[in-house]
Amino acid sequence: MIISYLCIVQIHQEYHARIINLRSIGIVRFRDATALVGLERNIFRDKNMKKSLVTIMLLALTIAAEGQAETIDTARFVAVYDYECRTLDDEEAPVTDRMQVVVQVGEAVTKSIPYSLYPRTDEKTKADAVAGFQEAYMHMPTVWIGLPDGKTTVREYIFPHVFEGSEETPEISWTLTEDTLTLSGYLCQQASATYRGVAWHVYYTEEIPSSAGPWRLRGLPGLIVKAESDAHTFRLAELRREASPITAPEKSPDVQRMKYAKLLKHKNEIYGNRQYAKNPTYYVSDLMHSITDIFVFKHNDQQLVFANGGHPLLTKAHAYKPLESE
């Protein structure tokens, strides 16, 4: 018989952890009773365990995904972009959200992924809970261009589920100009296009012979170095010559798969609702039963809540500025 334990893990800034049994309240379910009891007995006995717990929590989702991920290509290079979104907070004050996007450019597949989800092994760039939480405000999906068979696949987490949508890779009708500008050390040329309701002005460089770019922007005679719309800006921050493995979407029965048009409509309806900024889970009818696990990370004066395998759970959000409006 599986015993369902209810608990919450609170991780303090000094990396001390405390487990509180909330079995009678019904907030979180842990199916592995043995693992929970073992953790509860040992966490205060071993100082190293206190520090290790943070890493375990932050990397749990990544480890699970990597365990089932199939390598489908190898990157010829990796481009890291700074991404900004100009929006409003829940009190309608102007705010600029920032994150980084990693683009792996392979022979057949290009993968764009939020920086916190990109597998890294060096100490300097370990998974960052704060960065991952910030990314949740910006709704940046993971995108595979060229998978499957030249199509485009998009996967993202919209609480409480992971969604995946696929479609034929759309062509972007770029208008090229003679304007040039040196950006990030590269001589760039300008182009513009309207992609699914959003007007973009970009600079690309033929010094890097690739048609790739951040997110779903692509199809120019050189790598996109900067892309800007009214609300969004991508700018190349770093180019890495590394042959990293490009992995396919994790095979999981829990992922909700559909046509991309349906996923985009679902996403825009949820995040575009006026209730969203003040109550990001307004659309969830039974919040308690939608949470399978939860922990709280204390950062400065903030309590960062993570749930359902390490996904940020927002209590306040920012006004949604869609990358695709139609």
Side-chain angles (χ1 to χ4, degrees):
M1 181 178 69
I2 298 176
I3 301 175
S4 182
Y5 279 82
L6 305 174
C7 71
I8 182 169
V9 180
Q10 184 174 14
I11 302 177
H12 296 272
Q13 189 174 12
E14 13 343 301
Y15 297 147
H16 286 202
R18 180 164 55 94
I19 296 181
I20 307 170
N21 194 342
L22 297 177
R23 186 174 184 179
S24 62
I25 301 176
I27 292 185
V28 185
R29 293 179 176 81
F30 273 83
R31 294 185 179 277
D32 190 344
T34 304
L36 177 60
V37 172
L39 179 61
E40 196 168 6
R41 287 175 178 171
N42 292 314
I43 191 165
F44 296 109
R45 189 181 304 166
D46 187 348
K47 292 182 179 180
N48 292 327
M49 186 66 172
K50 296 175 183 178
K51 296 181 180 180
S52 298
L53 180 61
V54 177
T55 303
I56 291 169
M57 292 291 189
L58 295 180
L59 298 181
L61 185 61
T62 302
I63 292 171
E66 287 181 351
Q68 302 180 53
E70 174 191 0
T71 298
I72 51 175
D73 203 347
T74 300
R76 296 185 289 116
F77 65 87
V78 173
V80 181
Y81 290 87
D82 292 328
Y83 169 44
E84 294 184 353
C85 178
R86 295 168 289 280
T87 182
L88 303 173
D89 66 15
D90 61 293
E91 299 296 332
E92 299 189 356
V95 62
T96 299
D97 292 322
R98 295 178 174 87
M99 63 176 284
Q100 287 192 311
V101 176
V102 177
V103 179
Q104 297 174 280
V105 181
E107 294 293 340
V109 176
T110 295
K111 182 178 180 180
S112 176
I113 186 171
Y115 192 84
S116 70
L117 299 181
Y118 181 62
R120 302 177 302 281
T121 57
D122 56 298
E123 291 292 327
K124 187 177 180 181
T125 55
K126 277 186 176 178
D128 186 338
V130 179
F133 202 84
Q134 173 62 30
E135 291 172 356
Y137 287 96
M138 304 180 74
H139 315 295
M140 177 59 60
T142 299
V143 179
W144 292 260
I145 296 176
L147 181 75
D149 302 322
K151 296 182 179 180
T152 292
T153 297
V154 177
R155 180 176 285 196
E156 60 187 306
Y157 182 77
I158 303 173
F159 181 84
H161 303 295
V162 177
F163 293 87
E164 181 179 304
S166 297
E167 67 174 352
E168 297 291 337
T169 301
E171 295 297 326
I172 303 176
S173 299
W174 296 103
T175 298
L176 309 186
T177 74
E178 298 298 323
D179 294 341
T180 61
L181 186 67
T182 298
L183 293 169
S184 302
Y186 298 101
L187 179 62
C188 301
Q189 294 175 264
Q190 190 183 49
S192 61
T194 296
Y195 177 66
R196 291 186 170 166
V198 178
W200 291 94
H201 298 280
V202 310
Y203 284 92
Y204 64 95
T205 180
E206 295 184 4
E207 295 178 23
I208 306 174
S210 171
S211 61
W215 177 57
R216 303 192 62 173
L217 299 176
R218 54 176 292 280
L220 286 161
L223 183 73
I224 293 175
V225 176
K226 182 180 180 181
E228 192 162 28
S229 70
D230 287 342
H232 309 277
T233 299
F234 295 95
R235 181 163 182 162
L236 182 66
E238 184 183 358
L239 194 70
R240 303 176 183 174
R241 300 291 181 180
E242 63 180 42
S244 57
I246 299 177
T247 56
E250 171 199 357
K251 295 179 180 179
S252 170
D254 297 327
V255 175
Q256 299 198 11
R257 295 174 175 83
M258 60 192 65
K259 292 184 178 179
Y260 181 68
K262 183 178 179 180
L263 172 54
L264 179 61
K265 181 180 178 182
H266 178 66
K267 176 180 179 177
N268 286 351
E269 285 179 350
I270 288 177
Y271 295 145
N273 190 289
R274 294 180 62 181
Q275 301 179 68
Y276 175 71
K278 291 186 179 294
N279 181 16
T281 56
Y282 74 92
Y283 57 93
V284 181
S285 58
D286 189 347
L287 181 59
M288 290 301 183
H289 286 88
S290 296
I291 297 175
T292 58
D293 56 82
I294 192 169
F295 70 96
V296 180
F297 182 87
K298 186 176 181 181
H299 173 69
N300 296 331
D301 295 327
Q302 291 181 291
Q303 297 280 359
L304 308 184
V305 182
F306 296 82
N308 295 8
H311 295 284
L313 181 61
L314 300 180
T315 56
K316 297 290 183 181
H318 295 163
Y320 178 51
K321 300 293 183 180
L323 286 161
E324 300 167 280
S325 60
E326 59 185 38

